[in-house]
């Protein structure tokens, strides 16, 4: 019974207290921003705004614009005009580059076709016999390259025959 009386008494005391005397707690701490209790607000580093940089950048931009808009000596075109003329001439440069590139691609296609179908095509003389063994001589496994001494001998004989024919022709001409 005493527990029930105590609970009832505590409830009456709670209701009897004045509501205005209650301390309300705010979520903001007074130690972080107010100047009460002798504390200063912390310093805030504010960055310069974009308007500052636009304003400062306008000065060299206007000087550069003035510089390129001035005509050259003796009535020459402005620097901006010269630049526009270069850009308009790029069409001719690109046409030349494209023609060279197209010619290179056509030559590469011809060479590829020649190499893929060489056994079926007409006989093509080699400029030098070493063309068979192009590549690095380092890190070549044993037996990787075929012995081409008979090919070298064939082309050497062909070269000597050609030189003899030229010498005979020169001797007949003198």
């Amino acid at each position: 019974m005493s527990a029930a009386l105590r609970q009832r008494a505590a409830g009456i005391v709670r209701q009897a207290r004045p509501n205005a005397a209650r301390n309300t707690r705010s979520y903001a701490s007074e130690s972080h921003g107010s100047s009460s209790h002798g504390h200063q607000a912390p310093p805030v580093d504010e960055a310069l705004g974009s308007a500052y940089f636009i304003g400062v950048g306008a000065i060299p931009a206007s000087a550069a614009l003035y510089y390129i808009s001035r005509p050259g000596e003796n009535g020459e075109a402005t620097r901006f005009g010269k630049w526009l003329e270069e850009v308009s001439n790029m069409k001719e440069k690109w046409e030349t580059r494209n023609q060279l590139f197209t010619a290179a691609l056509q030559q590469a296609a011809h060479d590829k076709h020649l190499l893929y179908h060489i056994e079926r095509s007409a006989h093509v003389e080699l400029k030098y016999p070493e063309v068979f063994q192009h590549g690095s001589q380092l890190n070549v496994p044993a037996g990787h390259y075929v012995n081409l001494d008979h090919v070298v001998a064939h082309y050497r004989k062909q070269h000597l025959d050609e030189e003899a024919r030229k010498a005979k022709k020169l001797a007949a001409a003198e």
Side-chain angles (χ1 to χ4, degrees):
M1 177 109 164
S2 68
L5 286 175
R6 264 188 276 145
Q7 285 180 352
R8 179 79 180 144
I12 291 173
V13 170
R14 260 186 261 127
Q15 288 178 353
R17 277 193 205 157
N19 287 338
R22 280 190 184 169
N23 289 335
T24 58
R25 181 153 175 98
S26 68
Y27 292 103
S29 174
E30 290 185 10
S31 66
H32 286 295
S34 69
S35 60
S36 64
H37 305 296
H39 294 292
Q40 294 289 331
V44 177
D45 294 330
E46 293 185 14
L48 298 173
S50 59
Y52 170 77
F53 291 108
I54 291 172
V56 169
I59 295 169
S62 61
L65 183 64
Y66 176 77
Y67 179 73
I68 64 171
S69 67
R70 300 298 303 157
E73 297 174 4
N74 301 325
E76 296 173 355
T78 63
R79 288 170 184 81
F80 186 68
K82 289 178 185 176
W83 178 76
L84 283 178
E85 190 174 316
E86 275 185 37
V87 170
S88 65
N89 289 340
M90 286 299 287
K91 181 180 178 184
E92 297 164 4
K93 289 180 184 177
W94 276 104
E95 284 178 6
T96 305
R97 289 178 189 168
N98 287 340
Q99 288 172 355
L100 291 173
F101 185 68
T102 303
L105 284 178
Q106 288 174 348
Q107 184 63 42
H110 174 72
D111 293 346
K112 181 179 177 181
H113 179 72
L114 178 68
L115 290 175
Y116 280 164
H117 306 289
I118 194 142
E119 62 274 356
R120 289 180 265 161
S121 65
H123 180 68
V124 177
E125 288 296 325
L126 301 174
K127 293 190 185 246
Y128 51 98
E130 291 82 14
V131 76
F132 285 115
Q133 295 188 5
H134 267 253
S136 174
Q137 297 298 321
L138 303 174
N139 298 327
V140 177
H144 181 72
Y145 285 127
V146 181
N147 185 3
L148 297 175
D149 290 340
H150 62 284
V151 176
V152 173
H154 167 74
Y155 282 103
R156 185 168 290 133
K157 180 182 176 293
Q158 185 179 0
H159 172 70
L160 292 173
D161 291 345
E162 182 69 23
E163 290 297 319
R165 185 188 63 80
K166 286 180 186 177
K168 187 177 179 182
K169 189 175 180 181
L170 275 173
E174 290 178 0

